[in-house]
Amino acid sequence: LSSGMKLPEDFPLERYFAEHEFTAPHLLCCSDCETITIQELLQKSGDKALQEFLQIPLMYSESLGDPDLRKDIAALYETIDASQVLVDAGAAICIYSIITAALQPGD
């Protein structure tokens, strides 16, 4: 990395997951939801959801996340609006965003 940050040669947690994540009968440490297929998800959601899904373009979304999704997430809370919601593409990006916002030089 150009920042000069030293990273360990081996990441024990990642090595553990690489070995066990897809072979263990039960995972008690997942950060993702239970795996289902898109077909199963859409069957639970009805015909309208299928038609909406088929219309989604394969492209980059807005940098803060899809405006409709941000609005739907904000609606789950009483104290925020969509302008206060950030939707990221995965856990690593979220963790980076939180660390960047929360930590100051020297922390």
Side-chain angles (χ1 to χ4, degrees):
L1 293 172
S2 61
S3 67
M5 181 173 50
K6 300 267 187 218
L7 295 175
E9 293 295 321
D10 186 29
F11 293 93
L13 181 60
E14 290 300 323
R15 298 290 52 85
Y16 178 84
F17 281 135
E19 183 177 345
H20 300 289
E21 185 172 13
F22 298 104
T23 58
H26 305 285
L27 293 175
L28 302 178
C29 59
C30 292
S31 61
D32 58 344
C33 58
E34 182 65 32
T35 302
I36 64 172
T37 65
I38 292 174
Q39 180 178 4
E40 291 169 318
L41 177 63
L42 291 173
Q43 284 173 341
K44 293 175 187 285
S45 302
D47 291 336
K48 182 180 178 199
L50 172 60
Q51 293 310 312
E52 290 175 357
F53 177 76
L54 294 174
Q55 298 302 312
I56 296 173
L58 297 177
M59 60 182 225
Y60 285 109
S61 67
E62 296 184 28
S63 62
L64 296 177
D66 179 77
D68 290 333
L69 177 58
R70 293 173 59 220
K71 192 182 312 174
D72 289 345
I73 292 170
L76 298 171
Y77 300 89
E78 295 178 3
T79 58
I80 65 170
D81 62 38
S83 70
Q84 297 170 289
V85 175
L86 172 64
V87 177
D88 279 320
I93 299 294
C94 290
I95 292 167
Y96 175 80
S97 297
I98 290 168
I99 289 173
T100 302
L103 297 179
Q104 301 298 318
D107 286 346

